[in-house]
Amino acid sequence: RLPVPKLEDTITRYLNAQKPLLNDDQFRKTEELAHAFEKGIGRELHEQLVAQDNQNKHTSYITGPWFDMYLKAREPVVLNFNAFMSFNPDPKPEYNDQLTRATNMTVSAVRFMKTFRAGYLEPEVFHLNPEKSDTEIFKKIIRFVPSSVSWFGAYMVNAYPLDMSQYFRLFNSTRVPKPNKDELYTDEKAKHLLVLRNGNFYVFDVIDRDGNMLKPSEIQAHLKHILSDNSPAPAFPLGYLSSENRDTWALLRKNLLENGNEEALKKVDSAMFCLSLDDFPIKDYVHLSHTMLHGDAANRWYDKSFNLIITKDGTAGVNFEHSWGDGVAVLRFQNEVFKDSTNTPAISPQSQPASVDSSRAVQKLDFKLNDALKAGITKAKQRFDATVESLSLNIIQFQEGGKELLKQKKVSPDAVAQLAFQMAFLRQYGQTVATYESCSTAAFKHGRTETIRPATVHTKRCSEAFVKELSKHSTEELQKLIVECSKYHGRLTKEAAMGQGFDRHLFSLRFLALSKGLPLPDFYQDQAYARLNHNILSTSTLVSPAVQLGGFGPVVADGFGVGYQVHDDWMGFNVSSYPSRDGKEFLQCTYKALEDIFNVLKGKKIGS
């Protein structure tokens, strides 16, 4: 179970995170408020939270508040919450044909779903010592241990089973807009796939009456039928509605339902997933990022648990809605689909589609729109286009080293990437700001995420040494500062993964106070608390053989959304921003910071 941290630990960790962001006077005030909270109302709330947690052993203390936070948010899901991960190309170039890849990936996705629902999907396990635990013999032994104690057997060899309670929402699920708070809807009985092309909506069954998957050649025939349909794009594409403010969209949806679209909307909501087929090839990485992060809203349904997007040249990616689950569930899905569709593809480029009557099997959905709905779509399009117009995405690759060299030098690769962001922001804007790094707590029942706070007194000291006072420090001193950052970052990461951060705990105490109708404690009204939660640098990392790159929008208007990957001998960065911040310059500063760090670790003297 996810532990509720001790209140005194949470307050200490919170103050440690505030220290680099505040001057002495501000810090003293924040410290006073924090200690008063710890002794007073905070203690009462904490005891109530612990009592509540003990009564709800089937779940975790964060589950309720976290779903609530996502589902009550009224901002559009696109760019604010939805993230993307794009697949690597199929290693066999001829298999990247759009129809071939769409068929193979759809088949693999259905296989994954059927395996999961039948209870045969291999458990998700984090192996700290894979030589001992990620072996056939261990799997054979653990299989016969009763499940009530099998997790303990896994712990003995440093293997940690991860929570998979989110997985059922991967399929046949959607987020339904409602006034004030959305709802998650899942219909596991539905057998059809939703396909979007050129703003038109199509559905066809991928599972037959007996629960078996359609033959791959039939799925291929139906997708070929959709790809060769030359119906014009709708004048009022419905997809734009899923990009709207949630309250606005809730009202428009009510109108849609009252206007005779109930059947069609049910098909959209209950579909296994949304396959979006785009009619253009990808130009470069930036174009790829724009396409997968937002694309053309006419050809997306952002409320579905995920959209599998495949462009004209077979480039594929997943855009996923975030309230139902986190990156770990989506990543497992992508890893399995990539492996299955490339190792054992269902069809080849030479395969002939089945001779079936696709015009009968494939239903094109028709939506009845009144003037209010047409006006709503037009307005949604204008708003969406303006937002996308103001979004910048910048990408850079650092080819001078990666994980291997850093591990040789005994420093954490993630700590070095995070230190580079701190140095870059200091060089560009002259300050240290609230920084967020996401960390999964899936090692616990119904765990979600915890925040690592990478801006520390150590990164601030090190960044200032590199950026402002280079001439004052020897190479050895700079090396020491880097190592200090790495050690402390390693500790923060370990604490977060073990459910010992402070963000979710404080968030839950605040949620509890508000749900009990109590006045908001002074601690939460501190400007410093608000500033710490205004995450100007929002960062997230992943590395997988299936994923080419990932990204997300900034979480605040004056922020950066930083997706990054640290590979064996290179690093990749994908940064989103709005006009008040310059993402291109931020990446140039990040590149310089990495060059400086690597040179210092190699014992070279660096010039300013």
Side-chain angles (χ1 to χ4, degrees):
R1 298 199 64 230
L2 183 69
V4 178
K6 289 180 182 153
L7 184 59
E8 48 274 29
D9 291 348
T10 287
I11 296 297
T12 303
R13 290 170 181 141
Y14 167 74
L15 290 171
N16 285 342
Q18 285 286 19
K19 193 125 214 191
L21 308 178
L22 304 173
N23 64 32
D24 291 347
D25 288 346
Q26 290 168 326
F27 184 74
R28 257 195 306 276
K29 184 191 164 206
T30 292
E31 197 174 28
E32 274 168 28
L33 286 167
H35 289 313
F37 178 73
E38 185 189 343
K39 290 189 190 82
I41 183 71
R43 172 71 49 206
E44 289 169 41
L45 290 167
H46 173 74
E47 281 162 11
Q48 285 173 26
L49 183 69
V50 170
Q52 211 177 57
D53 185 52
N54 287 334
Q55 284 163 2
N56 291 282
K57 296 208 161 154
H58 62 286
T59 187
S60 74
Y61 77 89
I62 193 62
T63 302
W66 211 238
F67 273 122
D68 201 76
M69 179 269 302
Y70 271 123
L71 296 173
K72 275 188 174 163
R74 301 291 84 192
E75 302 89 346
V77 291
V78 61
L79 296 181
N80 294 305
F81 296 105
N82 287 28
F84 85 87
M85 295 189 261
S86 71
F87 286 98
N88 273 313
D90 191 304
K92 305 180 289 296
E94 68 277 16
Y95 278 76
N96 290 307
D97 161 73
Q98 187 177 27
L99 176 60
T100 306
R101 200 164 198 204
T103 305
N104 283 329
M105 284 194 147
T106 298
V107 169
S108 294
V110 177
R111 279 180 186 160
F112 178 92
M113 184 210 74
K114 286 181 66 61
T115 309
F116 170 66
R117 287 194 183 155
Y120 290 123
L121 191 66
E122 192 174 309
E124 189 70 20
V125 179
F126 178 62
H127 297 275
L128 264 181
N129 193 349
E131 298 77 35
K132 269 191 187 170
S133 57
D134 202 4
T135 60
E136 285 313 309
I137 186 153
F138 172 72
K139 287 176 194 172
K140 272 194 183 118
I141 295 167
I142 205 78
R143 191 168 289 144
F144 295 106
V145 180
S147 60
S148 55
V149 286
S150 59
W151 61 273
F152 190 73
Y155 278 15
M156 298 306 285
V157 288
N158 258 339
Y160 297 88
L162 302 183
D163 178 75
M164 294 171 74
S165 63
Q166 299 173 1
Y167 284 47
F168 84 99
R169 294 261 190 218
L170 263 167
F171 302 103
N172 302 99
S173 297
T174 198
R175 175 174 172 160
V176 178
K178 298 274 170 156
N180 305 322
K181 185 181 175 180
D182 292 355
E183 284 169 14
L184 291 174
Y185 167 86
T186 301
D187 176 6
E188 292 187 358
K189 290 192 213 53
K191 297 175 164 59
H192 62 281
L193 178 69
L194 170 67
V195 184
L196 301 188
R197 177 170 169 260
N198 200 18
N200 291 303
F201 286 56
Y202 306 85
V203 289
F204 64 86
D205 284 356
V206 282
I207 287 182
D208 67 19
R209 254 175 260 168
D210 303 323
N212 299 313
M213 179 170 69
L214 251 63
K215 289 196 193 89
S217 59
E218 292 181 31
I219 292 175
Q220 180 189 7
H222 297 340
L223 290 175
K224 187 177 180 181
H225 170 78
I226 291 169
L227 283 167
S228 49
D229 178 17
N230 46 26
S231 303
F236 298 96
L238 203 76
Y240 282 104
L241 294 179
S242 71
S243 77
E244 237 325 343
N245 165 285
R246 305 306 293 176
D247 282 336
T248 309
W249 173 201
L251 286 170
L252 289 163
R253 183 186 163 91
K254 193 166 170 285
N255 188 336
L256 269 171
L257 291 170
E258 288 162 1
N259 215 42
N261 297 294
E262 195 169 344
E263 210 44 50
L265 272 177
K266 193 167 192 313
K267 288 273 193 211
V268 171
D269 293 341
S270 62
M272 196 169 290
F273 60 90
C274 176
L275 173 65
S276 297
L277 300 171
D278 284 346
D279 280 345
F280 53 83
I282 293 296
K283 299 199 236 353
D284 54 33
Y285 283 136
V286 171
H287 183 222
L288 170 68
S289 270
H290 277 290
T291 302
M292 300 301 170
L293 181 59
H294 56 80
D296 175 1
N299 218 41
R300 302 284 182 271
W301 195 256
Y302 302 112
D303 289 357
K304 283 304 278 179
S305 51
F306 69 90
N307 287 244
L308 172 60
I309 301 156
I310 303 180
T311 63
K312 193 76 175 163
D313 56 4
T315 304
V318 163
N319 176 295
F320 66 98
E321 198 280 312
H322 220 319
S323 64
W324 65 270
D326 302 303
V328 280
V330 182
L331 189 59
R332 172 70 186 272
F333 168 74
Q334 287 195 241
N335 286 342
E336 299 285 0
V337 166
F338 183 75
K339 194 165 78 180
D340 190 65
S341 64
T342 54
N343 292 350
T344 51
I347 65 159
S348 74
Q350 288 72 44
S351 302
Q352 285 304 308
S355 47
V356 287
D357 186 358
S358 293
S359 63
R360 283 185 61 186
V362 178
Q363 181 195 354
K364 185 165 169 239
L365 298 181
D366 188 32
F367 295 95
K368 301 172 190 71
L369 305 177
N370 58 25
D371 289 348
L373 287 165
K374 288 177 181 174
I377 291 170
T378 304
K379 207 167 170 194
K381 182 180 185 326
Q382 287 164 348
R383 211 198 49 74
F384 175 82
D385 290 347
T387 308
V388 163
E389 187 59 38
S390 70
L391 177 82
S392 298
L393 293 174
N394 288 278
I395 290 178
I396 209 164
Q397 287 181 345
F398 179 79
Q399 302 282 6
E400 293 174 43
K403 210 179 284 181
E404 277 176 7
L405 192 132
L406 295 170
K407 284 190 168 166
Q408 272 171 26
K409 301 289 179 194
K410 298 196 168 41
V411 292
S412 142
D414 190 59
V416 165
Q418 289 289 347
L419 174 60
F421 303 147
Q422 295 300 318
M423 283 165 62
F425 200 91
L426 185 71
R427 186 176 293 280
Q428 190 178 2
Y429 295 106
Q431 61 185 137
T432 296
V433 291
T435 308
Y436 180 110
E437 179 182 355
S438 178
C439 176
S440 170
T441 50
F444 299 97
K445 188 181 183 75
H446 293 192
R448 294 283 314 230
T449 56
E450 182 51 272
T451 310
I452 300 168
R453 292 291 182 173
T456 66
V457 285
H458 303 281
T459 60
K460 189 176 187 176
R461 193 180 302 138
C462 187
S463 301
E464 284 177 347
F466 272 86
V467 174
K468 294 179 172 175
E469 316 161 342
L470 197 55
S471 56
K472 292 185 194 166
H473 297 275
S474 68
T475 304
E476 289 75 28
E477 284 168 359
L478 293 171
Q479 282 173 345
K480 253 193 199 139
L481 288 170
I482 295 168
V483 170
E484 265 171 39
C485 290
S486 171
K487 277 188 187 150
Y488 192 69
H489 186 77
R491 194 181 111 191
L492 290 180
T493 303
K494 202 170 166 186
E495 285 175 354
M498 296 309 289
Q500 293 293 332
F502 67 85
D503 279 86
R504 299 297 174 272
H505 187 195
L506 290 178
F507 179 84
S508 299
L509 295 176
R510 183 178 184 275
F511 177 84
L512 188 62
L514 294 174
S515 68
K516 297 229 182 253
L518 299 171
L520 190 64
D522 292 348
F523 171 79
Y524 292 107
Q525 300 191 49
D526 183 8
Q527 269 180 327
Y529 180 84
R531 236 192 341 260
L532 182 69
N533 288 289
H534 182 87
N535 292 297
I536 288 173
L537 281 171
S538 182
T539 73
S540 188
T541 185
L542 65 103
V543 172
S544 146
V547 173
Q548 191 170 27
L549 86 164
F552 49 93
V555 297
V556 291
D558 60 339
F560 289 121
V562 187
Y564 63 104
Q565 295 173 300
V566 184
H567 296 274
D568 285 344
D569 53 3
W570 65 282
M571 298 178 170
F573 303 90
N574 183 4
V575 172
S576 61
S577 57
Y578 292 116
S580 66
R581 296 281 181 200
D582 184 343
K584 192 175 181 191
E585 191 190 339
F586 176 73
L587 280 182
Q588 286 164 348
C589 293
T590 300
Y591 196 94
K592 171 159 177 47
L594 287 169
E595 266 183 335
D596 288 351
I597 293 167
F598 273 80
N599 281 330
V600 163
L601 289 172
K602 288 175 192 163
K604 293 183 185 166
K605 186 146 180 58
I606 53 170
S608 49

